[in-house]
């Protein structure tokens, strides 16, 4: 299915400081994505992307976007965390190829916001699968963005630390990584506040460790000043926002207490900076809540408030008995005191203040088209319909 673009030619981005409602939004989806299956009992369900797509279709959001046509142990493959399943290679091609295609659309200035909810698999390393992630599409997308952009900001609101992305860019000043995550006795065990990057990348890795039960108010209390400071000192030419939905209340593997609206407020805030924005998926293991969240956030990207009542469609039974986008959060205790949050904010802002201005870019020989083609031969782009 090929739907209309959100606008005609030319940039629709207004001047900084005004969050206009209109954005040119490009959405990447492949109808076979939901067919892949990690195995019995595995919490990662690619079917969640198909459920999200069904909601977007029923809410009429698709018509506002352009759908772009376009040894095992050594690599940490096992039967539990990162199993082999039928179509694994194709699965990796689809989600990674979509993120690379999304980055190319940004590079060509065709769209202001690009979306790939099947992407955001932020744990994979260069030669190792990890945390349900096989290929780190985020890293590939950022590398593509760096072909035309001086600086890229990566922000991660998954409950798990974005370790694979941080590791890939730990020594560079052209990518700043900012991760808000549960820290302490929790996978992947990285993301200490004192992990700040090294060499040219010192202070360009930003880690915001959080504790169980954090709610919307507390999360945004930390998120907004940290992101505002990062935007001020780093001045990115593009932003990649990993929107892992396992930070939502009631997630099967999570322990945060965010509402869909609170999670979506992070997207809204990033959108308000009027910088080209890539939205990616990530974690999220209570399927109906993942679909609720990413449908709502697609609306946020478009500047459209989706109706709370979920329309009848082929997956309606997943959303009962309330059939609503917005559900109440739980009464779990918030272990993040205001003092602990203030201390975290103060330390992070102090580190960011050591960056006096946006870094200069050292000109180097760029990868030739031949080099890029070689990469894409390994991850061919699969058209999305």
């Amino acid at each position: 299915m090929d739907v209309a673009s959100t606008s005609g030619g030319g940039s629709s981005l207004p001047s900084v400081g005004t969050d206009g409602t209109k954005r040119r939004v490009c959405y990447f989806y492949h109808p076979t994505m939901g067919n892949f299956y990690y195995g019995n009992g595995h919490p990662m369900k690619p079917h969640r992307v198909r459920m999200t797509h069904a909601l977007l279709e029923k809410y009429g959001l698709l018509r506002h976007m352009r759908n772009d046509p376009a040894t095992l142990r050594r690599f940490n493959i096992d039967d539990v965390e990162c199993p082999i399943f039928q179509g694994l290679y194709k699965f990796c091609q689809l989600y990674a190829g979509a993120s690379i295609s999304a980055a190319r659309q940004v590079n060509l200035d065709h769209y202001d916001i690009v979306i790939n909810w099947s992407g955001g698999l932020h744990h994979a390393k260069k030669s190792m699968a990890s945390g349900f992630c096989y290929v780190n599409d985020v890293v590939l997308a950022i590398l593509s963005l760096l072909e035309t952009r001086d600086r890229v900001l990566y922000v991660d609101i998954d409950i798990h630390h974005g370790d694979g992305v941080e590791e890939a860019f730990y020594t560079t000043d052209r990518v700043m990584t900012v991760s808000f995550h549960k820290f302490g006795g929790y996978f992947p065990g990285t993301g200490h506040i004192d992990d700040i990057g090294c060499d040219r990348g010192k202070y360009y890795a930003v880690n915001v460790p959080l504790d169980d039960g954090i709610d919307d108010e507390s999360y945004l209390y930390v998120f907004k000043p940290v992101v505002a400071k990062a935007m001020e000192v780093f001045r990115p030419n593009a932003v990649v926002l990993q929107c892992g939905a396992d930070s939502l209340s009631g997630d099967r593997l999570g322990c945060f207490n965010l509402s869909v609206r609170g999670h979506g407020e992070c997207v809204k805030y990033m959108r308000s900076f009027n910088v080209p924005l890539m939205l990616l998926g990530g974690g999220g293991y209570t399927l109906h809540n993942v679909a609720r969240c990413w449908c709502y956030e697609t609306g946020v990207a478009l500047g459209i408030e989706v109706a709370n009542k979920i329309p009848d469609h082929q997956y309606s039974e997943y959303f009962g008995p309330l059939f609503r986008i917005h559900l109440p959060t739980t009464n779990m205790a918030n272990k993040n005191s205001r003092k602990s949050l203030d201390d975290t904010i103060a330390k992070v802002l102090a580190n960011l203040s050591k960056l006096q201005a946006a870094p200069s870019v050292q000109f180097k020989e760029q990868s030739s088209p031949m080099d890029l083609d070689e990469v894409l031969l390994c991850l061919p782009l699969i058209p999305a319909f």
Side-chain angles (χ1 to χ4, degrees):
M1 178 180 63
D2 191 14
V3 295
S5 172
T6 58
S7 73
S11 175
S12 70
L13 290 175
S15 60
V16 174
T18 301
D19 183 22
T21 59
K22 192 169 186 178
R23 292 290 191 278
R24 300 168 302 168
V25 178
C26 189
Y27 166 71
F28 292 79
Y29 171 76
H30 196 282
T32 64
M33 178 56 64
N35 295 342
F36 298 101
Y37 183 57
Y38 275 57
N40 289 334
H42 200 286
M44 178 62 99
K45 309 288 185 186
H47 181 60
R48 64 196 183 149
V49 178
R50 178 181 284 161
M51 290 174 60
T52 300
H53 184 81
L55 278 182
L56 299 182
E57 184 174 31
K58 200 64 182 180
Y59 272 103
L61 296 179
L62 293 178
R63 67 174 177 265
H64 296 281
M65 300 184 287
R66 177 77 181 178
N67 191 320
D68 195 73
T71 73
L72 303 182
R73 186 180 302 276
R74 174 185 172 192
F75 296 105
N76 199 37
I77 305 295
D78 57 38
D79 293 331
V80 180
E81 181 181 317
C82 297
I84 289 181
F85 54 85
Q86 186 173 3
L88 172 60
Y89 182 67
K90 187 76 162 182
F91 173 66
C92 294
Q93 287 178 315
L94 290 173
Y95 78 75
S99 292
I100 295 170
S101 292
R104 283 181 162 178
Q105 294 299 317
V106 173
N107 287 344
L108 294 169
D109 291 321
H110 285 175
Y111 297 95
D112 309 315
I113 301 175
V114 291
I115 303 172
N116 175 24
W117 294 129
S118 66
L121 275 66
H122 58 171
H123 294 306
K125 309 298 183 5
K126 184 176 181 180
S127 299
M128 187 178 77
S130 177
F132 314 159
C133 307
Y134 298 87
V135 173
N136 199 315
D137 64 290
V138 188
V139 171
L140 296 177
I142 292 174
L143 289 173
S144 183
L145 290 171
L146 289 173
E147 294 174 6
T148 63
R149 311 281 160 166
D150 293 340
R151 296 174 298 278
V152 176
L153 174 66
Y154 172 71
V155 179
D156 192 316
I157 59 173
D158 194 292
I159 195 172
H160 301 96
H161 177 235
D163 58 330
V165 184
E166 179 184 275
E167 179 180 301
F169 301 109
Y170 204 65
T171 61
T172 181
D173 59 1
R174 292 189 62 195
V175 178
M176 177 178 284
T177 60
V178 183
S179 180
F180 300 83
H181 52 270
K182 159 72 176 173
F183 183 77
Y186 203 71
F187 182 87
T190 51
H192 192 281
I193 195 170
D194 290 330
D195 295 338
I196 57 173
C198 64
D199 299 330
R200 291 179 65 90
K202 188 174 182 180
Y203 302 122
Y204 291 93
V206 179
N207 284 296
V208 184
L210 302 167
D211 209 341
D212 294 4
I214 193 164
D215 56 21
D216 292 353
E217 181 183 2
S218 296
Y219 196 92
L220 295 170
Y221 181 77
V222 177
F223 182 85
K224 290 188 175 182
V226 169
V227 166
K229 188 66 174 178
M231 293 294 292
E232 174 193 338
V233 300
F234 188 57
R235 291 185 290 160
N237 309 113
V239 174
V240 176
L241 178 60
Q242 197 266 22
C243 303
D246 46 8
S247 47
L248 291 175
S249 178
D251 186 79
R252 179 179 171 186
L253 299 184
C255 56
F256 283 179
N257 201 23
L258 300 184
S259 70
V260 166
R261 197 175 297 279
H263 197 274
E265 181 65 23
C266 297
V267 178
K268 184 177 182 181
Y269 190 64
M270 296 309 310
R271 182 186 190 272
S272 73
F273 288 98
N274 306 313
V275 174
L277 177 63
M278 178 184 295
L279 300 180
L280 299 175
Y285 307 100
T286 301
L287 268 64
H288 48 86
N289 287 345
V290 176
R292 284 182 167 98
C293 182
W294 292 344
C295 174
Y296 175 74
E297 289 172 353
T298 302
V300 169
L302 290 163
I304 296 173
E305 179 74 25
V306 299
N308 191 24
K309 182 174 173 56
I310 293 175
D312 185 48
H313 66 296
Q314 67 263 45
Y315 300 117
S316 291
E317 68 274 12
Y318 283 85
F319 301 97
L322 297 179
F323 303 99
R324 298 286 188 268
I325 289 287
H326 301 289
L327 300 178
T329 56
T330 70
N331 60 356
M332 70 184 301
N334 183 355
K335 295 184 178 180
N336 301 268
S337 68
R338 183 55 60 95
K339 182 181 184 307
S340 70
L341 296 177
D342 284 337
D343 290 345
T344 296
I345 294 170
K347 187 163 189 176
V348 169
L349 296 187
N351 285 337
L352 286 171
S353 294
K354 295 173 183 175
L355 302 175
Q356 297 302 317
S360 60
V361 176
Q362 182 178 3
F363 290 97
K364 299 179 180 178
E365 184 179 354
Q366 297 294 322
S367 296
S368 67
M370 181 71 73
D371 294 334
L372 181 59
D373 289 343
E374 289 173 358
V375 172
L376 297 179
L377 284 175
C378 297
L379 293 165
L381 302 184
I382 309 299
F385 299 100

